[in-house]
Amino acid sequence: MQESEARLFLERRKMEVELARKHDCEAVLFEQAAEEFIARVLPTAYKPSTVVNMTSDLRAHLIPFFKDAYVCEISARDLDSFIAERIIDDGASSGKTLREINTFRQFMNTAVTWRYASYNPGYLVKVKARNVNSISFLRPVELKPLFEHAHPAWRPYLMTAGLTGMRCGELAGLFERDVDFAEHKIRVRRSVYRGKYDTPKTAAAIRDIDMPPSLERELRAWIVSPLRLKTQTGILFPSRCGNPTTSYVGNKTALQPALEAAGLPKIRLHDLRHTYASILIANRESLKYIQRMLGHESVNTTVDTYGHLIDESNMPAARRLDEAVFFGKKPAEQDERAV
């Protein structure tokens, strides 16, 4: 066993002991417990058709989301994040998502019996239809405090999310070689979906994102940092288990503690993508540039998602029109006043 692997093993064992003491239960990773549930409980407790559906719910959606989470740590807030990701990001129906939550509830009933958890958070959440165009984001002045209050081991991850607008799966799919310091670009070439590497969401999602100087400095230091677990494949943001960081881990371990420490409103990890887009819009960047950076297939997608923000950003243009018509201001005079 290599030194890095031994250190990782010892860190995990220490964490498991601490979790077991804190929650008065056995610390078991969700993936391990879920597979045990599939093998030992489903075949004898449910009809064959139900077994197929529940196994699909667990392996296709629940395990990839909670992959590196300990069962005893999962909370109702974590489930709310799962529900939001399925309905808003994945476009799943509320009915399909409710079925997945019911599967989670049945699994957690067994987990409590096995003393893998002290309670079942599945009964503390509700699934309701969400408006897919309803988005949340931080203001530009709130991003710096977020980064400053992030744990040093997670600051590069959050800065990359907030300053590139990458999707969660694209962040998880980054390797060291995708960071091009010579060209000041981050190259999106793959994504992680359901725990496996795949091509990005669309052809347009394969793109080169401009890397601001602050992020470039952060990533230069991160690549050689002792805080970063080194993997054979060169995963840029590995989890504590050496896997690509899932959106669950990124949200619970990186984002939420930083938001709380900075006194900022609660948002999801995916909302940092909306934050990035809102800043580009406020800076009057062209729609074509915003489309390209976000990896949208067409400008229509960008407008459909952020149209209300674009409308708000055009208020100065409306004021300039008003001044030109009613106050006789010439373009040059308007420019001088703006400066």
Side-chain angles (χ1 to χ4, degrees):
M1 183 181 292
Q2 296 181 353
E3 182 180 347
S4 60
E5 294 176 343
R7 178 166 53 85
L8 176 62
F9 175 79
L10 291 175
E11 288 176 354
R12 283 187 58 184
R13 285 301 303 152
K14 180 180 178 181
M15 180 181 301
E16 289 169 358
V17 170
E18 292 175 350
L19 286 172
R21 185 184 301 113
K22 177 181 178 181
H23 297 280
D24 191 28
C25 59
E26 185 177 350
V28 179
L29 289 171
F30 185 89
E31 182 176 25
Q32 176 185 338
E35 290 295 346
E36 186 179 3
F37 175 74
I38 291 171
R40 291 177 52 189
V41 177
L42 289 187
T44 58
Y46 299 94
K47 296 179 180 179
S49 59
T50 304
V51 172
V52 171
N53 288 335
M54 293 180 71
T55 300
S56 175
D57 292 340
L58 286 162
R59 288 179 173 163
H61 303 293
L62 291 162
I63 289 177
F65 188 87
F66 294 110
K67 183 179 180 66
D68 292 330
Y70 286 96
V71 178
C72 59
E73 282 190 303
I74 299 174
S75 66
R77 178 179 292 173
D78 300 326
L79 272 182
D80 283 335
S81 295
F82 171 79
I83 292 168
E85 179 168 303
R86 290 292 291 129
I87 293 178
I88 297 177
D89 301 341
D90 297 344
S93 67
S94 56
K96 177 71 166 63
T97 306
L98 177 59
R99 193 190 81 178
E100 293 160 5
I101 292 299
N102 285 332
T103 295
F104 177 88
R105 289 167 178 163
Q106 297 307 310
F107 159 74
M108 285 300 296
N109 284 339
T110 300
V112 171
T113 302
W114 288 346
R115 297 194 71 251
Y116 291 170
S118 57
Y119 76 105
N120 188 340
Y123 294 107
L124 302 179
V125 299
K126 294 182 179 179
V127 178
K128 54 186 178 181
R130 298 284 296 274
N131 180 1
V132 296
N133 291 320
S134 176
I135 62 173
S136 301
F137 55 90
L138 296 177
R139 293 174 298 157
V141 295
E142 293 174 322
L143 267 187
K144 185 178 179 182
L146 174 70
F147 300 152
E148 290 175 342
H149 286 83
H151 188 283
W154 287 106
R155 185 179 301 119
Y157 178 83
L158 291 181
M159 286 185 67
T160 303
L163 298 177
T164 68
M166 294 175 66
R167 300 176 178 92
C168 299
E170 295 169 348
L171 277 172
L174 284 177
F175 294 151
E176 288 181 35
R177 63 177 181 270
D178 298 319
V179 184
D180 188 337
F181 292 113
E183 297 295 328
H184 314 291
K185 306 279 188 183
I186 294 181
R187 308 196 184 282
V188 180
R189 296 296 182 268
R190 71 200 67 79
S191 182
V192 174
Y193 180 65
R194 297 180 180 178
K196 297 181 179 180
Y197 288 105
D198 200 352
T199 54
K201 187 174 182 178
T202 64
I206 300 174
R207 64 198 188 279
D208 297 343
I209 302 176
D210 293 329
M211 182 167 46
S214 58
L215 179 58
E216 185 171 333
R217 290 191 296 270
E218 190 72 24
L219 291 181
R220 282 185 184 276
W222 172 244
I223 287 176
V224 297
S225 171
L227 295 175
R228 175 173 167 264
L229 180 68
K230 305 300 187 295
T231 64
Q232 290 185 343
T233 54
I235 298 173
L236 187 61
F237 300 117
S239 70
R240 62 193 176 191
C241 300
N243 300 315
T245 295
T246 64
S247 59
Y248 167 82
V249 171
N251 181 70
K252 185 179 182 68
T253 309
L255 179 60
Q256 296 307 320
L259 289 170
E260 184 174 352
L264 296 172
K266 298 294 183 182
I267 62 169
R268 302 168 304 138
L269 187 62
H270 188 79
D271 292 330
L272 290 179
R273 175 173 168 84
H274 299 322
T275 298
Y276 171 77
S278 72
I279 293 173
L280 293 186
I281 291 169
N283 287 346
R284 312 284 201 282
E285 304 297 349
S286 71
L287 281 178
K288 194 65 180 175
Y289 178 80
I290 296 172
Q291 172 208 343
R292 193 169 75 250
M293 292 298 101
L294 292 175
H296 287 159
E297 281 198 288
S298 72
V299 170
N300 289 338
T301 304
T302 309
V303 173
D304 289 344
T305 306
Y306 302 107
H308 61 295
L309 299 180
I310 295 169
D311 292 341
E312 292 171 5
S313 73
N314 283 335
M315 280 308 298
R319 293 192 190 97
R320 288 194 294 272
L321 175 63
D322 195 53
E323 290 175 349
V325 173
F326 294 102
F327 298 98
K329 296 275 188 179
K330 297 179 180 179
E333 292 175 329
Q334 293 171 352
D335 293 342
E336 289 173 2
R337 192 175 67 82
V339 173

